[in-house]
Tab-separated table of all heavy atoms in Angstrom:
chain	number	residue	atom	x	y	z
A	1	MET	N	6.769	3.325	21.895
A	1	MET	CA	5.799	4.309	21.330
A	1	MET	C	6.547	4.943	20.122
A	1	MET	O	5.983	5.291	19.145
A	1	MET	CB	5.421	5.377	22.382
A	1	MET	CG	4.407	4.837	23.338
A	1	MET	SD	3.898	6.049	24.567
A	1	MET	CE	3.080	7.184	23.446
A	2	LYS	N	7.887	5.214	20.292
A	2	LYS	CA	8.601	5.836	19.256
A	2	LYS	C	8.621	4.937	18.012
A	2	LYS	O	8.434	5.339	16.871
A	2	LYS	CB	10.024	6.021	19.733
A	2	LYS	CG	10.941	6.674	18.621
A	2	LYS	CD	12.345	6.879	19.183
A	2	LYS	CE	13.202	7.447	18.090
A	2	LYS	NZ	14.659	7.688	18.590
A	3	GLY	N	8.706	3.584	18.194
A	3	GLY	CA	8.680	2.661	17.098
A	3	GLY	C	7.285	2.710	16.468
A	3	GLY	O	7.223	2.626	15.229
A	4	ASP	N	6.184	2.731	17.261
A	4	ASP	CA	4.834	2.779	16.732
A	4	ASP	C	4.618	4.129	15.852
A	4	ASP	O	4.071	4.068	14.835
A	4	ASP	CB	3.778	2.721	17.806
A	4	ASP	CG	3.694	1.333	18.414
A	4	ASP	OD1	4.250	0.400	17.756
A	4	ASP	OD2	3.170	1.169	19.497
A	5	LEU	N	5.207	5.168	16.308
A	5	LEU	CA	5.084	6.439	15.575
A	5	LEU	C	5.851	6.357	14.278
A	5	LEU	O	5.280	6.877	13.268
A	5	LEU	CB	5.632	7.612	16.427
A	5	LEU	CG	4.770	8.107	17.666
A	5	LEU	CD1	5.559	9.045	18.499
A	5	LEU	CD2	3.495	8.698	17.165
A	6	ASN	N	6.986	5.760	14.222
A	6	ASN	CA	7.632	5.560	12.992
A	6	ASN	C	6.889	4.723	11.983
A	6	ASN	O	6.813	4.979	10.823
A	6	ASN	CB	9.066	4.928	13.198
A	6	ASN	CG	10.027	5.963	13.932
A	6	ASN	OD1	9.832	7.160	13.797
A	6	ASN	ND2	11.067	5.399	14.649
A	7	ASP	N	6.269	3.698	12.540
A	7	ASP	CA	5.453	2.866	11.655
A	7	ASP	C	4.289	3.641	11.119
A	7	ASP	O	3.837	3.459	10.005
A	7	ASP	CB	4.870	1.609	12.443
A	7	ASP	CG	6.024	0.629	12.833
A	7	ASP	OD1	7.062	0.741	12.101
A	7	ASP	OD2	5.873	-0.107	13.790
A	8	LEU	N	3.601	4.374	11.968
A	8	LEU	CA	2.492	5.264	11.501
A	8	LEU	C	2.932	6.276	10.438
A	8	LEU	O	2.254	6.531	9.450
A	8	LEU	CB	1.821	6.027	12.668
A	8	LEU	CG	0.994	5.167	13.619
A	8	LEU	CD1	0.619	5.974	14.890
A	8	LEU	CD2	-0.313	4.718	12.871
A	9	LYS	N	4.155	6.836	10.668
A	9	LYS	CA	4.711	7.732	9.610
A	9	LYS	C	4.795	7.076	8.242
A	9	LYS	O	4.433	7.507	7.210
A	9	LYS	CB	6.079	8.329	10.091
A	9	LYS	CG	5.945	9.382	11.146
A	9	LYS	CD	7.363	9.745	11.558
A	9	LYS	CE	8.232	10.247	10.433
A	9	LYS	NZ	9.565	10.650	10.899
A	10	LYS	N	5.312	5.867	8.268
A	10	LYS	CA	5.536	5.081	7.075
A	10	LYS	C	4.127	4.779	6.435
A	10	LYS	O	4.063	4.933	5.188
A	10	LYS	CB	6.227	3.779	7.463
A	10	LYS	CG	6.506	2.828	6.187
A	10	LYS	CD	7.181	1.590	6.607
A	10	LYS	CE	7.295	0.635	5.474
A	10	LYS	NZ	7.915	-0.601	5.812
A	11	LEU	N	3.152	4.412	7.216
A	11	LEU	CA	1.840	4.158	6.686
A	11	LEU	C	1.242	5.381	6.077
A	11	LEU	O	0.604	5.325	5.005
A	11	LEU	CB	1.011	3.567	7.781
A	11	LEU	CG	-0.205	2.643	7.459
A	11	LEU	CD1	0.277	1.446	6.685
A	11	LEU	CD2	-0.902	2.182	8.759
A	12	THR	N	1.419	6.517	6.713
A	12	THR	CA	0.852	7.729	6.250
A	12	THR	C	1.440	8.165	4.887
A	12	THR	O	0.733	8.602	3.972
A	12	THR	CB	0.995	8.875	7.293
A	12	THR	OG1	0.496	8.393	8.483
A	12	THR	CG2	0.284	10.113	6.828
A	13	LEU	N	2.777	8.023	4.837
A	13	LEU	CA	3.432	8.394	3.558
A	13	LEU	C	2.884	7.513	2.431
A	13	LEU	O	2.847	7.953	1.273
A	13	LEU	CB	4.934	8.223	3.767
A	13	LEU	CG	5.630	9.303	4.622
A	13	LEU	CD1	7.085	8.943	4.882
A	13	LEU	CD2	5.482	10.676	3.990
A	14	GLU	N	2.650	6.161	2.672
A	14	GLU	CA	2.191	5.358	1.686
A	14	GLU	C	0.821	5.801	1.188
A	14	GLU	O	0.542	5.765	0.034
A	14	GLU	CB	2.057	3.854	2.203
A	14	GLU	CG	3.406	3.181	2.551
A	14	GLU	CD	4.115	2.809	1.297
A	14	GLU	OE1	3.458	2.668	0.224
A	14	GLU	OE2	5.339	2.719	1.285
A	15	LEU	N	-0.037	6.272	2.124
A	15	LEU	CA	-1.382	6.718	1.730
A	15	LEU	C	-1.304	7.992	0.905
A	15	LEU	O	-1.995	8.241	-0.075
A	15	LEU	CB	-2.238	6.998	3.007
A	15	LEU	CG	-2.798	5.761	3.634
A	15	LEU	CD1	-3.328	6.161	4.997
A	15	LEU	CD2	-3.915	5.234	2.783
A	16	LEU	N	-0.388	8.913	1.293
A	16	LEU	CA	-0.211	10.181	0.550
A	16	LEU	C	0.302	9.920	-0.820
A	16	LEU	O	-0.061	10.667	-1.762
A	16	LEU	CB	0.772	11.092	1.354
A	16	LEU	CG	0.228	11.646	2.680
A	16	LEU	CD1	1.273	12.380	3.387
A	16	LEU	CD2	-1.003	12.597	2.468
A	17	LYS	N	1.126	8.912	-1.009
A	17	LYS	CA	1.725	8.627	-2.241
A	17	LYS	C	0.731	7.951	-3.322
A	17	LYS	O	0.508	8.294	-4.407
A	17	LYS	CB	2.985	7.832	-2.214
A	17	LYS	CG	4.174	8.638	-1.743
A	17	LYS	CD	5.451	7.848	-1.871
A	17	LYS	CE	5.525	6.675	-0.924
A	17	LYS	NZ	6.832	5.967	-0.977
A	18	ASP	N	0.042	6.940	-2.725
A	18	ASP	CA	-0.904	6.072	-3.539
A	18	ASP	C	-2.339	6.484	-3.530
A	18	ASP	O	-3.061	6.236	-4.494
A	18	ASP	CB	-0.748	4.656	-3.122
A	18	ASP	CG	0.635	4.122	-3.382
A	18	ASP	OD1	1.359	4.641	-4.175
A	18	ASP	OD2	1.021	3.129	-2.577
A	19	ASN	N	-2.736	7.126	-2.463
A	19	ASN	CA	-4.120	7.534	-2.367
A	19	ASN	C	-5.155	6.436	-2.580
A	19	ASN	O	-6.178	6.564	-3.163
A	19	ASN	CB	-4.533	8.696	-3.293
A	19	ASN	CG	-5.811	9.423	-2.969
A	19	ASN	OD1	-6.213	9.356	-1.808
A	19	ASN	ND2	-6.462	10.097	-3.870
A	20	ASP	N	-4.650	5.234	-2.143
A	20	ASP	CA	-5.518	4.003	-2.276
A	20	ASP	C	-5.447	3.221	-0.997
A	20	ASP	O	-4.476	2.458	-0.820
A	20	ASP	CB	-5.007	3.195	-3.499
A	20	ASP	CG	-5.947	1.931	-3.781
A	20	ASP	OD1	-6.850	1.656	-2.959
A	20	ASP	OD2	-5.747	1.271	-4.794
A	21	SER	N	-6.440	3.326	-0.150
A	21	SER	CA	-6.395	2.698	1.163
A	21	SER	C	-6.467	1.174	1.084
A	21	SER	O	-5.802	0.498	1.885
A	21	SER	CB	-7.571	3.271	2.074
A	21	SER	OG	-8.837	2.821	1.462
A	22	ASN	N	-7.178	0.667	0.035
A	22	ASN	CA	-7.289	-0.768	0.006
A	22	ASN	C	-5.967	-1.404	-0.396
A	22	ASN	O	-5.536	-2.467	0.190
A	22	ASN	CB	-8.359	-1.162	-1.051
A	22	ASN	CG	-9.712	-0.870	-0.547
A	22	ASN	OD1	-9.969	-0.882	0.635
A	22	ASN	ND2	-10.608	-0.454	-1.495
A	23	LYS	N	-5.269	-0.730	-1.302
A	23	LYS	CA	-3.887	-1.184	-1.802
A	23	LYS	C	-2.950	-1.205	-0.623
A	23	LYS	O	-2.169	-2.027	-0.388
A	23	LYS	CB	-3.433	-0.401	-2.985
A	23	LYS	CG	-2.015	-0.764	-3.425
A	23	LYS	CD	-1.621	0.093	-4.548
A	23	LYS	CE	-0.166	-0.277	-4.988
A	23	LYS	NZ	0.291	0.645	-6.056
A	24	VAL	N	-3.002	-0.058	0.129
A	24	VAL	CA	-2.050	0.144	1.279
A	24	VAL	C	-2.311	-0.941	2.328
A	24	VAL	O	-1.415	-1.449	2.929
A	24	VAL	CB	-2.215	1.574	1.798
A	24	VAL	CG1	-1.402	1.679	3.152
A	24	VAL	CG2	-1.717	2.608	0.817
A	25	GLN	N	-3.622	-1.223	2.505
A	25	GLN	CA	-4.001	-2.222	3.511
A	25	GLN	C	-3.493	-3.566	3.191
A	25	GLN	O	-3.004	-4.275	4.004
A	25	GLN	CB	-5.505	-2.207	3.715
A	25	GLN	CG	-5.948	-3.237	4.801
A	25	GLN	CD	-7.449	-3.204	4.975
A	25	GLN	OE1	-8.148	-2.446	4.298
A	25	GLN	NE2	-7.906	-4.012	5.850
A	26	ARG	N	-3.524	-3.919	1.857
A	26	ARG	CA	-3.060	-5.219	1.441
A	26	ARG	C	-1.578	-5.322	1.516
A	26	ARG	O	-1.021	-6.289	1.963
A	26	ARG	CB	-3.553	-5.446	-0.024
A	26	ARG	CG	-4.944	-5.752	-0.179
A	26	ARG	CD	-5.255	-6.324	-1.604
A	26	ARG	NE	-4.795	-5.402	-2.616
A	26	ARG	CZ	-5.483	-4.420	-3.184
A	26	ARG	NH1	-6.658	-4.167	-2.783
A	26	ARG	NH2	-4.928	-3.693	-4.145
A	27	GLU	N	-0.886	-4.311	1.122
A	27	GLU	CA	0.571	-4.347	1.083
A	27	GLU	C	1.252	-4.198	2.464
A	27	GLU	O	2.315	-4.588	2.680
A	27	GLU	CB	1.166	-3.248	0.111
A	27	GLU	CG	0.744	-3.521	-1.341
A	27	GLU	CD	1.307	-2.363	-2.156
A	27	GLU	OE1	1.822	-1.348	-1.592
A	27	GLU	OE2	1.220	-2.482	-3.416
A	28	ASN	N	0.482	-3.642	3.413
A	28	ASN	CA	1.034	-3.367	4.729
A	28	ASN	C	0.218	-4.005	5.779
A	28	ASN	O	0.083	-3.515	6.878
A	28	ASN	CB	1.125	-1.816	4.987
A	28	ASN	CG	2.033	-1.176	4.054
A	28	ASN	OD1	3.275	-1.097	4.242
A	28	ASN	ND2	1.425	-0.612	2.991
A	29	GLU	N	-0.295	-5.200	5.523
A	29	GLU	CA	-1.155	-5.951	6.512
A	29	GLU	C	-0.448	-6.215	7.784
A	29	GLU	O	-0.962	-6.018	8.875
A	29	GLU	CB	-1.689	-7.251	5.771
A	29	GLU	CG	-2.599	-7.976	6.667
A	29	GLU	CD	-3.117	-9.214	6.007
A	29	GLU	OE1	-2.834	-9.489	4.856
A	29	GLU	OE2	-3.953	-9.979	6.717
A	30	GLY	N	0.885	-6.708	7.673
A	30	GLY	CA	1.645	-6.975	8.911
A	30	GLY	C	1.792	-5.823	9.725
A	30	GLY	O	1.728	-5.842	10.976
A	31	LEU	N	2.157	-4.667	9.076
A	31	LEU	CA	2.380	-3.409	9.783
A	31	LEU	C	1.116	-2.974	10.533
A	31	LEU	O	1.144	-2.484	11.665
A	31	LEU	CB	2.924	-2.368	8.850
A	31	LEU	CG	3.330	-1.025	9.459
A	31	LEU	CD1	4.419	-1.234	10.420
A	31	LEU	CD2	3.738	-0.065	8.374
A	32	ILE	N	-0.067	-3.056	9.837
A	32	ILE	CA	-1.254	-2.623	10.441
A	32	ILE	C	-1.632	-3.522	11.636
A	32	ILE	O	-2.084	-3.031	12.701
A	32	ILE	CB	-2.434	-2.726	9.373
A	32	ILE	CG1	-2.151	-1.677	8.279
A	32	ILE	CG2	-3.752	-2.462	10.032
A	32	ILE	CD1	-3.107	-1.743	7.088
A	33	ARG	N	-1.519	-4.773	11.466
A	33	ARG	CA	-1.692	-5.620	12.612
A	33	ARG	C	-0.782	-5.308	13.790
A	33	ARG	O	-1.192	-5.424	14.965
A	33	ARG	CB	-1.563	-7.118	12.243
A	33	ARG	CG	-2.638	-7.598	11.306
A	33	ARG	CD	-2.422	-9.084	11.047
A	33	ARG	NE	-3.487	-9.564	10.262
A	33	ARG	CZ	-3.606	-10.911	9.896
A	33	ARG	NH1	-2.688	-11.765	10.217
A	33	ARG	NH2	-4.642	-11.296	9.197
A	34	LYS	N	0.475	-5.003	13.504
A	34	LYS	CA	1.430	-4.689	14.619
A	34	LYS	C	0.961	-3.423	15.373
A	34	LYS	O	1.019	-3.366	16.566
A	34	LYS	CB	2.823	-4.426	13.977
A	34	LYS	CG	3.824	-3.995	14.977
A	34	LYS	CD	5.188	-3.737	14.330
A	34	LYS	CE	6.119	-3.129	15.383
A	34	LYS	NZ	7.388	-2.813	14.764
A	35	ILE	N	0.453	-2.431	14.615
A	35	ILE	CA	0.033	-1.186	15.253
A	35	ILE	C	-1.346	-1.314	15.985
A	35	ILE	O	-1.432	-0.882	17.083
A	35	ILE	CB	-0.087	-0.118	14.218
A	35	ILE	CG1	1.200	0.205	13.481
A	35	ILE	CG2	-0.650	1.206	14.838
A	35	ILE	CD1	1.223	1.139	12.429
A	36	TYR	N	-2.247	-1.989	15.335
A	36	TYR	CA	-3.678	-2.068	15.943
A	36	TYR	C	-4.001	-3.362	16.514
A	36	TYR	O	-5.125	-3.506	17.087
A	36	TYR	CB	-4.691	-1.766	14.793
A	36	TYR	CG	-4.508	-0.379	14.225
A	36	TYR	CD1	-3.839	-0.238	12.946
A	36	TYR	CD2	-4.922	0.729	14.879
A	36	TYR	CE1	-3.711	1.028	12.394
A	36	TYR	CE2	-4.673	2.017	14.396
A	36	TYR	CZ	-4.098	2.169	13.136
A	36	TYR	OH	-3.934	3.409	12.635
A	37	GLY	N	-3.089	-4.357	16.639
A	37	GLY	CA	-3.360	-5.534	17.284
A	37	GLY	C	-3.914	-6.559	16.314
A	37	GLY	O	-4.519	-6.208	15.351
A	38	ASN	N	-3.563	-7.833	16.546
A	38	ASN	CA	-3.996	-8.902	15.607
A	38	ASN	C	-4.801	-9.999	16.235
A	38	ASN	O	-5.010	-11.083	15.703
A	38	ASN	CB	-2.749	-9.501	14.984
A	38	ASN	CG	-1.842	-10.125	15.979
A	38	ASN	OD1	-2.096	-9.968	17.120
A	38	ASN	ND2	-0.702	-10.717	15.536
A	39	GLU	N	-5.304	-9.712	17.526
A	39	GLU	CA	-6.117	-10.699	18.198
A	39	GLU	C	-7.444	-10.123	18.600
A	39	GLU	O	-7.667	-9.704	19.686
A	39	GLU	CB	-5.339	-11.192	19.446
A	39	GLU	CG	-4.030	-11.996	19.174
A	39	GLU	CD	-3.412	-12.493	20.425
A	39	GLU	OE1	-3.974	-12.261	21.562
A	39	GLU	OE2	-2.368	-13.088	20.322
A	40	LYS	N	-8.359	-10.008	17.588
A	40	LYS	CA	-9.685	-9.405	17.837
A	40	LYS	C	-10.757	-10.465	17.496
A	40	LYS	O	-10.649	-11.108	16.501
A	40	LYS	CB	-9.955	-8.257	16.964
A	40	LYS	CG	-8.875	-7.059	17.155
A	40	LYS	CD	-9.252	-5.907	16.202
A	40	LYS	CE	-8.166	-4.878	16.270
A	40	LYS	NZ	-7.882	-4.251	17.524
A	41	ASN	N	-11.643	-10.628	18.421
A	41	ASN	CA	-12.732	-11.520	18.137
A	41	ASN	C	-13.834	-10.812	17.302
A	41	ASN	O	-13.755	-9.624	17.001
A	41	ASN	CB	-13.349	-12.103	19.366
A	41	ASN	CG	-13.741	-11.068	20.363
A	41	ASN	OD1	-14.228	-9.991	19.967
A	41	ASN	ND2	-13.594	-11.278	21.672
A	42	GLU	N	-14.779	-11.578	16.831
A	42	GLU	CA	-15.802	-10.980	15.945
A	42	GLU	C	-16.608	-9.824	16.629
A	42	GLU	O	-16.980	-8.894	15.981
A	42	GLU	CB	-16.783	-12.087	15.497
A	42	GLU	CG	-16.168	-13.122	14.634
A	42	GLU	CD	-17.090	-14.197	14.174
A	42	GLU	OE1	-18.311	-14.160	14.538
A	42	GLU	OE2	-16.658	-15.100	13.495
C-alpha cells in the first residue's frame, strides 16, 4: 500500500504540472495499469 501511495503521488504531481490528463495517461500507462489493474474484460 505504501508503494501504491507513492505511485499515486507521482501521478498526481504529473497532473498538477501538465494539466493534461490524456498526455499523463499516455506517458504513464504502465504505472496506471499497475495501480488500477491490467486484466479487465469489456
Side-chain angles (χ1 to χ4, degrees):
M1 288 182 66
K2 180 179 178 180
D4 289 344
L5 286 171
N6 289 334
D7 291 338
L8 285 171
K9 282 176 59 180
K10 178 180 177 182
L11 205 58
T12 305
L13 288 174
E14 292 288 338
L15 282 169
L16 290 173
K17 284 192 290 185
D18 297 335
N19 195 23
D20 186 351
S21 62
N22 292 328
K23 178 182 176 182
V24 172
Q25 183 179 359
R26 288 194 304 271
E27 294 179 353
N28 298 275
E29 183 178 356
L31 184 60
I32 294 172
R33 286 185 177 181
K34 176 184 175 183
I35 298 173
Y36 298 103
N38 57 358
E39 295 182 3
K40 301 182 188 301
N41 55 37
E42 294 181 358

